[in-house]
Every structure is written in structure tokens, then in C-alpha cells.
């Protein structure tokens, strides 16, 4: 569906530079995605385990987002390592899950710093939290990488374009 929307609006052509510029580095793209997703999970788990005085819903949210990140990373790895079409499609849905988890993580962080969350009023306006900045960077980088894969700028599955040197 994302591909159809990108094609219909013309954004896909603009972002992919009309297919004149593309990178056929599936291993590097996939390893980058795995590193970003696992880094996102590590930051979330570190935050959940080191902060004891936070409400239970916030800890549960961090654990759920970390589990989603690990699940997406496993799906990306499994979808890349297999050449069967069925598992390749699951790999694409894992990329989508990774983008959803990254976007949700970014949203939770931004809401906690701007509007505030119940029981976490001291976080409002505190933009100097290093793990939060790292979380934002990892989330934005993963969503950008996923966008580049969806538009065709990067290739994340081997033999997807059938390019030969």
C-alpha cells in the first residue's frame, strides 16, 4: 500500500531521484537496520531498568516498545536471510513494524517533554536527557532508512533489482 501511495502522489520518484541514484548494498542496509532497531531496544530497556521511581505504565510502555524493536529486528534479519517470497514479504512487514515502533518511541519522548505525562511532570521541558536524544536519533534514522528502502533508493533484499556488474 505504501508503494501505491508513493507512486500515486509522485513522492516516490522525487525521493528516489527518478531512479538515477540507488545503492545496491543489501547487507549494509540490513545490518544498519538491525543496529538501529537493537540500539533502540537497548536504550528503552536501559531506561526502564535504571529508573525505579517512574509509574508502572511508563515502564510497561518502554518494555513493549523494546519487545517490538527486537521483534522487528528478528523479522528484518529473517526476511533478508531467506530467498523465499513468503518470508521476504514478512521481512517487509518487519520493516513496517520497525517504523511503527520507532515512530511510537519518538512520539512518547516528544509528548513527555512537551505536554508531559501523568506522574512524570519533572520530564516536561527536559531536553538534556542523553538517552532520550539517542533514542530520537535512532528512531529518525530508522524511519529514514525504511523510507529509502520503500522508495527504491536503497536495496534491502538481495537480488531484488537483479542488478549485475
Amino acid at each position: 500500500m505504501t508503494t501505491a501511495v508513493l507512486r500515486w502522489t509522485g513522492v516516490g520518484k522525487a525521493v528516489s531521484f527518478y531512479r538515477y541514484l540507488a545503492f545496491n548494498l543489501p547487507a549494509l542496509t540490513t545490518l544498519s537496520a538491525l543496529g538501529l532497531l537493537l540500539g533502540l531496544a537497548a536504550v528503552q530497556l536501559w531506561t526502564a531498568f535504571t529508573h525505579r521511581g517512574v509509574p508502572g505504565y511508563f515502564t510497561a510502555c518502554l518494555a513493549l516498545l523494546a519487545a517490538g524493536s527486537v521483534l522487528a529486528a528478528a523479522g528484518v534479519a529473517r526476511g533478508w536471510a531467506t530467498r523465499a517470497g513468503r518470508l521476504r514479504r514478512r521481512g517487509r512487514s518487519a520493516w513496517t513494524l520497525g517504523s511503527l515502533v520507532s515512530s511510537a518511541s519518538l512520539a512518547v519522548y516528544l509528548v513527555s517533554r512537551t505536554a508531559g505525562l501523568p506522574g512524570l511532570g519533572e520530564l516536561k521541558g527536559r531536553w538534556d536527557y542523553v538517552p532520550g536524544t539517542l533514542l530520537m536519533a535512532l528512531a529518525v534514522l530508522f524511519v529514514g532508512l525504511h523510507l529509502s528502502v520503500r522508495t527504491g533508493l536503497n536495496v534491502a533484499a538481495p537480488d531484488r533489482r537483479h542488478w549485475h556488474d
Side-chain angles (χ1 to χ4, degrees), residues 14-76:
V15 175
S16 65
F17 302 105
Y18 295 98
R19 306 270 184 202
Y20 292 117
L21 177 66
F23 302 100
N24 190 18
L25 301 168
L28 180 64
T29 302
T30 303
L31 289 175
S32 298
L34 293 175
L36 292 169
L37 286 170
L38 293 176
L40 196 63
V43 170
Q44 291 161 341
L45 288 175
W46 182 84
T47 304
F49 286 125
T50 57
H51 294 79
R52 299 283 181 209
V54 298
Y57 77 91
F58 189 69
T59 304
C61 179
L62 289 174
L64 183 66
L65 289 172
S69 296
V70 171
L71 185 65
V76 167

Short mmCIF file of all heavy atoms in Angstrom, two decimals, residues 14-76:
data_model
loop_
_atom_site.label_atom_id
_atom_site.label_comp_id
_atom_site.label_asym_id
_atom_site.label_seq_id
_atom_site.Cartn_x
_atom_site.Cartn_y
_atom_site.Cartn_z
N ALA A 14 10.37 11.56 -6.66
CA ALA A 14 11.15 12.69 -6.17
C ALA A 14 12.20 12.25 -5.16
O ALA A 14 13.33 12.70 -5.20
CB ALA A 14 10.23 13.73 -5.56
N VAL A 15 11.82 11.35 -4.27
CA VAL A 15 12.75 10.92 -3.23
C VAL A 15 13.83 10.01 -3.79
O VAL A 15 14.97 10.03 -3.36
CB VAL A 15 11.97 10.23 -2.09
CG1 VAL A 15 12.91 9.66 -1.06
CG2 VAL A 15 11.03 11.22 -1.43
N SER A 16 13.47 9.20 -4.77
CA SER A 16 14.46 8.26 -5.32
C SER A 16 15.24 8.86 -6.48
O SER A 16 15.93 8.15 -7.19
CB SER A 16 13.77 6.97 -5.78
OG SER A 16 12.90 7.26 -6.87
N PHE A 17 15.12 10.14 -6.69
CA PHE A 17 15.84 10.84 -7.75
C PHE A 17 15.58 10.21 -9.11
O PHE A 17 16.48 10.02 -9.92
CB PHE A 17 17.34 10.89 -7.46
CG PHE A 17 17.66 11.55 -6.17
CD1 PHE A 17 18.03 10.80 -5.07
CD2 PHE A 17 17.56 12.92 -6.03
CE1 PHE A 17 18.32 11.41 -3.86
CE2 PHE A 17 17.84 13.53 -4.82
CZ PHE A 17 18.22 12.77 -3.74
N TYR A 18 14.31 9.87 -9.34
CA TYR A 18 13.86 9.29 -10.61
C TYR A 18 14.64 8.04 -10.98
O TYR A 18 14.90 7.77 -12.12
CB TYR A 18 13.92 10.32 -11.72
CG TYR A 18 12.97 11.45 -11.49
CD1 TYR A 18 13.42 12.63 -10.93
CD2 TYR A 18 11.63 11.32 -11.79
CE1 TYR A 18 12.55 13.68 -10.69
CE2 TYR A 18 10.75 12.36 -11.56
CZ TYR A 18 11.22 13.54 -11.01
OH TYR A 18 10.35 14.55 -10.77
N ARG A 19 15.06 7.31 -9.99
CA ARG A 19 15.76 6.02 -10.15
C ARG A 19 17.15 6.16 -10.79
O ARG A 19 17.72 5.20 -11.24
CB ARG A 19 14.93 5.03 -10.95
CG ARG A 19 13.55 4.82 -10.42
CD ARG A 19 13.57 3.71 -9.45
NE ARG A 19 12.17 3.48 -9.04
CZ ARG A 19 11.84 2.89 -7.95
NH1 ARG A 19 12.76 2.43 -7.17
NH2 ARG A 19 10.60 2.73 -7.63
N TYR A 20 17.69 7.37 -10.85
CA TYR A 20 19.04 7.54 -11.37
C TYR A 20 20.09 7.30 -10.30
O TYR A 20 21.25 7.09 -10.60
CB TYR A 20 19.23 8.94 -11.96
CG TYR A 20 18.43 9.15 -13.21
CD1 TYR A 20 17.44 10.10 -13.26
CD2 TYR A 20 18.66 8.39 -14.34
CE1 TYR A 20 16.70 10.30 -14.39
CE2 TYR A 20 17.92 8.57 -15.49
CZ TYR A 20 16.94 9.53 -15.51
OH TYR A 20 16.21 9.72 -16.64
N LEU A 21 19.68 7.38 -9.07
CA LEU A 21 20.60 7.19 -7.96
C LEU A 21 20.02 6.12 -7.05
O LEU A 21 18.91 6.26 -6.56
CB LEU A 21 20.78 8.50 -7.19
CG LEU A 21 21.66 8.44 -5.95
CD1 LEU A 21 23.09 8.14 -6.35
CD2 LEU A 21 21.57 9.74 -5.18
N ALA A 22 20.76 5.06 -6.88
CA ALA A 22 20.32 3.99 -5.98
C ALA A 22 21.55 3.25 -5.48
O ALA A 22 22.60 3.25 -6.12
CB ALA A 22 19.38 3.04 -6.71
N PHE A 23 21.40 2.63 -4.33
CA PHE A 23 22.50 1.90 -3.71
C PHE A 23 22.12 0.44 -3.58
O PHE A 23 21.10 0.12 -2.99
CB PHE A 23 22.82 2.49 -2.34
CG PHE A 23 23.18 3.94 -2.39
CD1 PHE A 23 22.25 4.91 -2.07
CD2 PHE A 23 24.44 4.34 -2.78
CE1 PHE A 23 22.56 6.25 -2.13
CE2 PHE A 23 24.77 5.68 -2.84
CZ PHE A 23 23.83 6.64 -2.52
N ASN A 24 22.93 -0.43 -4.15
CA ASN A 24 22.66 -1.86 -4.09
C ASN A 24 23.59 -2.49 -3.06
O ASN A 24 24.53 -3.21 -3.39
CB ASN A 24 22.86 -2.50 -5.47
CG ASN A 24 22.36 -3.92 -5.50
OD1 ASN A 24 21.58 -4.34 -4.66
ND2 ASN A 24 22.81 -4.68 -6.48
N LEU A 25 23.35 -2.17 -1.81
CA LEU A 25 24.14 -2.69 -0.69
C LEU A 25 23.19 -3.33 0.32
O LEU A 25 22.98 -2.81 1.41
CB LEU A 25 24.94 -1.57 -0.03
CG LEU A 25 25.92 -0.83 -0.92
CD1 LEU A 25 26.43 0.42 -0.24
CD2 LEU A 25 27.06 -1.75 -1.30
N PRO A 26 22.58 -4.47 -0.04
CA PRO A 26 21.56 -5.04 0.85
C PRO A 26 22.10 -5.46 2.21
O PRO A 26 21.41 -5.30 3.22
CB PRO A 26 21.01 -6.22 0.07
CG PRO A 26 22.04 -6.54 -0.95
CD PRO A 26 22.75 -5.26 -1.25
N ALA A 27 23.30 -5.96 2.26
CA ALA A 27 23.85 -6.39 3.55
C ALA A 27 24.08 -5.18 4.46
O ALA A 27 23.73 -5.21 5.64
CB ALA A 27 25.15 -7.16 3.35
N LEU A 28 24.64 -4.11 3.92
CA LEU A 28 24.89 -2.92 4.71
C LEU A 28 23.57 -2.28 5.16
O LEU A 28 23.44 -1.85 6.31
CB LEU A 28 25.72 -1.91 3.92
CG LEU A 28 26.05 -0.61 4.63
CD1 LEU A 28 26.92 -0.87 5.85
CD2 LEU A 28 26.72 0.36 3.69
N THR A 29 22.59 -2.24 4.27
CA THR A 29 21.29 -1.66 4.62
C THR A 29 20.63 -2.47 5.73
O THR A 29 20.12 -1.91 6.70
CB THR A 29 20.39 -1.62 3.37
OG1 THR A 29 21.04 -0.85 2.37
CG2 THR A 29 19.05 -1.01 3.69
N THR A 30 20.65 -3.79 5.59
CA THR A 30 20.02 -4.64 6.60
C THR A 30 20.76 -4.58 7.93
O THR A 30 20.13 -4.51 8.99
CB THR A 30 19.93 -6.08 6.08
OG1 THR A 30 19.23 -6.08 4.85
CG2 THR A 30 19.22 -6.98 7.07
N LEU A 31 22.08 -4.61 7.88
CA LEU A 31 22.85 -4.52 9.13
C LEU A 31 22.65 -3.17 9.81
O LEU A 31 22.59 -3.10 11.04
CB LEU A 31 24.32 -4.78 8.87
CG LEU A 31 24.68 -6.23 8.52
CD1 LEU A 31 26.15 -6.34 8.16
CD2 LEU A 31 24.33 -7.16 9.68
N SER A 32 22.51 -2.12 9.03
CA SER A 32 22.22 -0.80 9.60
C SER A 32 20.86 -0.81 10.29
O SER A 32 20.70 -0.28 11.40
CB SER A 32 22.23 0.27 8.52
OG SER A 32 23.49 0.36 7.92
N ALA A 33 19.88 -1.42 9.64
CA ALA A 33 18.54 -1.50 10.24
C ALA A 33 18.58 -2.30 11.53
O ALA A 33 17.97 -1.91 12.53
CB ALA A 33 17.56 -2.13 9.26
N LEU A 34 19.30 -3.41 11.53
CA LEU A 34 19.40 -4.23 12.73
C LEU A 34 20.08 -3.47 13.86
O LEU A 34 19.65 -3.51 15.01
CB LEU A 34 20.16 -5.52 12.43
CG LEU A 34 19.46 -6.51 11.51
CD1 LEU A 34 20.38 -7.69 11.21
CD2 LEU A 34 18.17 -6.98 12.10
N GLY A 35 21.14 -2.76 13.54
CA GLY A 35 21.84 -1.97 14.55
C GLY A 35 20.96 -0.87 15.13
O GLY A 35 20.95 -0.64 16.35
N LEU A 36 20.20 -0.20 14.27
CA LEU A 36 19.32 0.86 14.74
C LEU A 36 18.20 0.31 15.63
O LEU A 36 17.89 0.87 16.68
CB LEU A 36 18.74 1.63 13.56
CG LEU A 36 19.74 2.47 12.76
CD1 LEU A 36 19.10 2.97 11.46
CD2 LEU A 36 20.26 3.63 13.58
N LEU A 37 17.59 -0.80 15.19
CA LEU A 37 16.49 -1.38 15.98
C LEU A 37 16.98 -1.94 17.32
O LEU A 37 16.34 -1.73 18.35
CB LEU A 37 15.79 -2.47 15.18
CG LEU A 37 14.89 -1.98 14.05
CD1 LEU A 37 14.44 -3.15 13.18
CD2 LEU A 37 13.70 -1.23 14.60
N LEU A 38 18.11 -2.63 17.30
CA LEU A 38 18.62 -3.18 18.56
C LEU A 38 19.14 -2.08 19.48
O LEU A 38 19.04 -2.17 20.70
CB LEU A 38 19.70 -4.22 18.27
CG LEU A 38 19.19 -5.49 17.58
CD1 LEU A 38 20.34 -6.42 17.24
CD2 LEU A 38 18.16 -6.19 18.44
N GLY A 39 19.68 -1.01 18.90
CA GLY A 39 20.08 0.14 19.70
C GLY A 39 18.89 0.81 20.34
O GLY A 39 18.93 1.22 21.50
N LEU A 40 17.80 0.91 19.60
CA LEU A 40 16.56 1.47 20.13
C LEU A 40 16.05 0.63 21.29
O LEU A 40 15.67 1.16 22.34
CB LEU A 40 15.52 1.52 19.01
CG LEU A 40 14.29 2.37 19.18
CD1 LEU A 40 14.67 3.83 19.30
CD2 LEU A 40 13.37 2.17 18.00
N ALA A 41 16.08 -0.69 21.13
CA ALA A 41 15.65 -1.58 22.22
C ALA A 41 16.56 -1.46 23.43
O ALA A 41 16.08 -1.44 24.57
CB ALA A 41 15.61 -3.02 21.72
N ALA A 42 17.86 -1.33 23.21
CA ALA A 42 18.80 -1.22 24.32
C ALA A 42 18.57 0.07 25.12
O ALA A 42 18.59 0.05 26.36
CB ALA A 42 20.24 -1.27 23.79
N VAL A 43 18.34 1.17 24.42
CA VAL A 43 18.09 2.44 25.13
C VAL A 43 16.80 2.35 25.94
O VAL A 43 16.74 2.79 27.09
CB VAL A 43 18.05 3.61 24.13
CG1 VAL A 43 17.55 4.88 24.79
CG2 VAL A 43 19.41 3.85 23.51
N GLN A 44 15.77 1.75 25.36
CA GLN A 44 14.49 1.63 26.06
C GLN A 44 14.62 0.73 27.29
O GLN A 44 14.10 1.05 28.36
CB GLN A 44 13.41 1.11 25.12
CG GLN A 44 13.05 2.12 24.07
CD GLN A 44 12.35 1.52 22.88
OE1 GLN A 44 12.42 0.32 22.64
NE2 GLN A 44 11.67 2.37 22.13
N LEU A 45 15.31 -0.38 27.14
CA LEU A 45 15.49 -1.29 28.29
C LEU A 45 16.37 -0.66 29.36
O LEU A 45 16.11 -0.82 30.56
CB LEU A 45 16.07 -2.62 27.82
CG LEU A 45 15.11 -3.51 27.03
CD1 LEU A 45 15.82 -4.74 26.51
CD2 LEU A 45 13.91 -3.90 27.89
N TRP A 46 17.40 0.05 28.95
CA TRP A 46 18.26 0.71 29.92
C TRP A 46 17.47 1.73 30.73
O TRP A 46 17.59 1.82 31.94
CB TRP A 46 19.43 1.38 29.22
CG TRP A 46 20.37 2.04 30.19
CD1 TRP A 46 21.39 1.46 30.87
CD2 TRP A 46 20.34 3.41 30.61
NE1 TRP A 46 22.01 2.37 31.69
CE2 TRP A 46 21.38 3.57 31.54
CE3 TRP A 46 19.55 4.49 30.28
CZ2 TRP A 46 21.64 4.79 32.15
CZ3 TRP A 46 19.82 5.70 30.89
CH2 TRP A 46 20.85 5.84 31.81
N THR A 47 16.62 2.49 30.03
CA THR A 47 15.79 3.48 30.71
C THR A 47 14.81 2.81 31.66
O THR A 47 14.59 3.28 32.78
CB THR A 47 15.04 4.34 29.68
OG1 THR A 47 15.98 4.94 28.79
CG2 THR A 47 14.23 5.43 30.35
N ALA A 48 14.22 1.70 31.22
CA ALA A 48 13.24 1.00 32.06
C ALA A 48 13.88 0.42 33.31
O ALA A 48 13.28 0.44 34.39
CB ALA A 48 12.56 -0.11 31.25
N PHE A 49 15.10 -0.10 33.20
CA PHE A 49 15.73 -0.75 34.34
C PHE A 49 16.46 0.20 35.28
O PHE A 49 16.68 -0.12 36.44
CB PHE A 49 16.70 -1.84 33.88
CG PHE A 49 16.00 -3.07 33.37
CD1 PHE A 49 16.27 -3.56 32.11
CD2 PHE A 49 15.06 -3.73 34.15
CE1 PHE A 49 15.62 -4.69 31.64
CE2 PHE A 49 14.41 -4.85 33.69
CZ PHE A 49 14.68 -5.33 32.43
N THR A 50 16.87 1.36 34.81
CA THR A 50 17.64 2.26 35.67
C THR A 50 16.79 3.29 36.39
O THR A 50 17.26 3.89 37.35
CB THR A 50 18.73 2.99 34.86
OG1 THR A 50 18.11 3.71 33.80
CG2 THR A 50 19.76 2.02 34.34
N HIS A 51 15.57 3.50 35.94
CA HIS A 51 14.71 4.50 36.58
C HIS A 51 13.63 3.78 37.38
O HIS A 51 12.67 3.25 36.82
CB HIS A 51 14.09 5.42 35.53
CG HIS A 51 15.10 6.26 34.83
ND1 HIS A 51 15.90 5.78 33.82
CD2 HIS A 51 15.46 7.55 35.02
CE1 HIS A 51 16.70 6.73 33.41
NE2 HIS A 51 16.46 7.82 34.11
N ARG A 52 13.79 3.76 38.70
CA ARG A 52 12.90 3.00 39.57
C ARG A 52 11.64 3.78 39.98
O ARG A 52 10.62 3.20 40.22
CB ARG A 52 13.64 2.57 40.83
CG ARG A 52 14.82 1.68 40.55
CD ARG A 52 14.34 0.30 40.25
NE ARG A 52 15.50 -0.54 40.00
CZ ARG A 52 15.48 -1.57 39.23
NH1 ARG A 52 14.37 -1.92 38.63
NH2 ARG A 52 16.55 -2.30 39.05
N GLY A 53 11.72 5.07 40.05
CA GLY A 53 10.61 5.85 40.59
C GLY A 53 9.57 6.29 39.56
O GLY A 53 8.82 7.21 39.81
N VAL A 54 9.52 5.63 38.41
CA VAL A 54 8.56 6.02 37.38
C VAL A 54 7.29 5.18 37.50
O VAL A 54 7.32 4.08 38.05
CB VAL A 54 9.17 5.88 35.97
CG1 VAL A 54 10.36 6.80 35.80
CG2 VAL A 54 9.58 4.46 35.68
N PRO A 55 6.16 5.68 37.00
CA PRO A 55 4.92 4.91 37.06
C PRO A 55 5.03 3.59 36.28
O PRO A 55 5.81 3.48 35.32
CB PRO A 55 3.89 5.83 36.42
CG PRO A 55 4.47 7.20 36.49
CD PRO A 55 5.95 7.01 36.46
N GLY A 56 4.22 2.64 36.67
CA GLY A 56 4.25 1.33 36.03
C GLY A 56 3.86 1.35 34.57
O GLY A 56 4.40 0.57 33.76
N TYR A 57 2.94 2.23 34.19
CA TYR A 57 2.53 2.28 32.79
C TYR A 57 3.68 2.71 31.89
O TYR A 57 3.79 2.25 30.75
CB TYR A 57 1.32 3.21 32.59
CG TYR A 57 1.65 4.68 32.59
CD1 TYR A 57 1.96 5.33 31.40
CD2 TYR A 57 1.65 5.42 33.76
CE1 TYR A 57 2.27 6.69 31.39
CE2 TYR A 57 1.95 6.76 33.76
CZ TYR A 57 2.26 7.40 32.57
OH TYR A 57 2.58 8.72 32.57
N PHE A 58 4.54 3.58 32.41
CA PHE A 58 5.68 4.04 31.60
C PHE A 58 6.70 2.93 31.41
O PHE A 58 7.22 2.74 30.32
CB PHE A 58 6.32 5.27 32.25
CG PHE A 58 7.34 5.93 31.40
CD1 PHE A 58 6.98 6.61 30.24
CD2 PHE A 58 8.68 5.90 31.74
CE1 PHE A 58 7.92 7.22 29.44
CE2 PHE A 58 9.63 6.51 30.96
CZ PHE A 58 9.25 7.18 29.80
N THR A 59 6.95 2.17 32.47
CA THR A 59 7.86 1.03 32.37
C THR A 59 7.30 -0.03 31.42
O THR A 59 8.03 -0.59 30.61
CB THR A 59 8.10 0.42 33.76
OG1 THR A 59 8.60 1.43 34.63
CG2 THR A 59 9.10 -0.71 33.70
N ALA A 60 6.00 -0.28 31.50
CA ALA A 60 5.37 -1.24 30.60
C ALA A 60 5.43 -0.77 29.16
O ALA A 60 5.66 -1.56 28.23
CB ALA A 60 3.91 -1.48 31.01
N CYS A 61 5.25 0.52 28.95
CA CYS A 61 5.34 1.09 27.60
C CYS A 61 6.75 0.92 27.03
O CYS A 61 6.92 0.53 25.87
CB CYS A 61 4.95 2.57 27.63
SG CYS A 61 5.05 3.39 26.04
N LEU A 62 7.76 1.19 27.85
CA LEU A 62 9.14 1.01 27.40
C LEU A 62 9.44 -0.45 27.09
O LEU A 62 10.10 -0.76 26.09
CB LEU A 62 10.11 1.54 28.46
CG LEU A 62 10.17 3.04 28.64
CD1 LEU A 62 11.07 3.40 29.81
CD2 LEU A 62 10.66 3.72 27.37
N ALA A 63 8.95 -1.36 27.94
CA ALA A 63 9.18 -2.79 27.70
C ALA A 63 8.47 -3.25 26.42
O ALA A 63 9.02 -4.03 25.64
CB ALA A 63 8.70 -3.61 28.89
N LEU A 64 7.26 -2.76 26.18
CA LEU A 64 6.52 -3.11 24.98
C LEU A 64 7.22 -2.59 23.72
O LEU A 64 7.33 -3.30 22.71
CB LEU A 64 5.10 -2.57 25.07
CG LEU A 64 4.17 -2.92 23.91
CD1 LEU A 64 3.90 -4.42 23.89
CD2 LEU A 64 2.87 -2.16 24.06
N LEU A 65 7.71 -1.36 23.78
CA LEU A 65 8.42 -0.80 22.63
C LEU A 65 9.74 -1.53 22.39
O LEU A 65 10.12 -1.76 21.23
CB LEU A 65 8.66 0.69 22.85
CG LEU A 65 7.42 1.58 22.77
CD1 LEU A 65 7.75 3.01 23.19
CD2 LEU A 65 6.83 1.56 21.37
N ALA A 66 10.43 -1.91 23.46
CA ALA A 66 11.67 -2.67 23.30
C ALA A 66 11.39 -4.05 22.70
O ALA A 66 12.13 -4.50 21.81
CB ALA A 66 12.37 -2.82 24.65
N ALA A 67 10.32 -4.70 23.13
CA ALA A 67 9.95 -6.00 22.56
C ALA A 67 9.59 -5.85 21.09
O ALA A 67 9.96 -6.70 20.26
CB ALA A 67 8.79 -6.61 23.34
N GLY A 68 8.88 -4.78 20.74
CA GLY A 68 8.56 -4.53 19.34
C GLY A 68 9.80 -4.30 18.50
O GLY A 68 9.89 -4.76 17.36
N SER A 69 10.78 -3.60 19.06
CA SER A 69 12.04 -3.36 18.34
C SER A 69 12.79 -4.66 18.09
O SER A 69 13.31 -4.90 16.99
CB SER A 69 12.93 -2.41 19.14
OG SER A 69 12.35 -1.16 19.26
N VAL A 70 12.85 -5.51 19.11
CA VAL A 70 13.55 -6.80 18.96
C VAL A 70 12.81 -7.69 17.97
O VAL A 70 13.43 -8.36 17.13
CB VAL A 70 13.72 -7.49 20.33
CG1 VAL A 70 14.23 -8.90 20.18
CG2 VAL A 70 14.65 -6.68 21.21
N LEU A 71 11.49 -7.71 18.04
CA LEU A 71 10.69 -8.49 17.10
C LEU A 71 10.88 -8.00 15.67
O LEU A 71 11.02 -8.81 14.73
CB LEU A 71 9.22 -8.43 17.50
CG LEU A 71 8.25 -9.29 16.70
CD1 LEU A 71 8.55 -10.76 16.90
CD2 LEU A 71 6.82 -8.98 17.12
N ALA A 72 10.90 -6.69 15.48
CA ALA A 72 11.13 -6.14 14.14
C ALA A 72 12.54 -6.49 13.65
O ALA A 72 12.72 -6.83 12.47
CB ALA A 72 10.93 -4.64 14.16
N ALA A 73 13.52 -6.42 14.53
CA ALA A 73 14.90 -6.77 14.13
C ALA A 73 14.98 -8.23 13.72
O ALA A 73 15.64 -8.57 12.73
CB ALA A 73 15.86 -6.47 15.27
N ALA A 74 14.32 -9.10 14.46
CA ALA A 74 14.32 -10.53 14.10
C ALA A 74 13.64 -10.74 12.76
O ALA A 74 14.10 -11.54 11.93
CB ALA A 74 13.63 -11.34 15.19
N GLY A 75 12.55 -10.04 12.51
CA GLY A 75 11.86 -10.17 11.23
C GLY A 75 12.66 -9.63 10.07
O GLY A 75 12.67 -10.22 8.98
N VAL A 76 13.37 -8.53 10.27
CA VAL A 76 14.21 -7.97 9.22
C VAL A 76 15.33 -8.95 8.89
O VAL A 76 15.63 -9.22 7.72
CB VAL A 76 14.78 -6.60 9.64
CG1 VAL A 76 15.91 -6.16 8.71
CG2 VAL A 76 13.69 -5.55 9.65
#
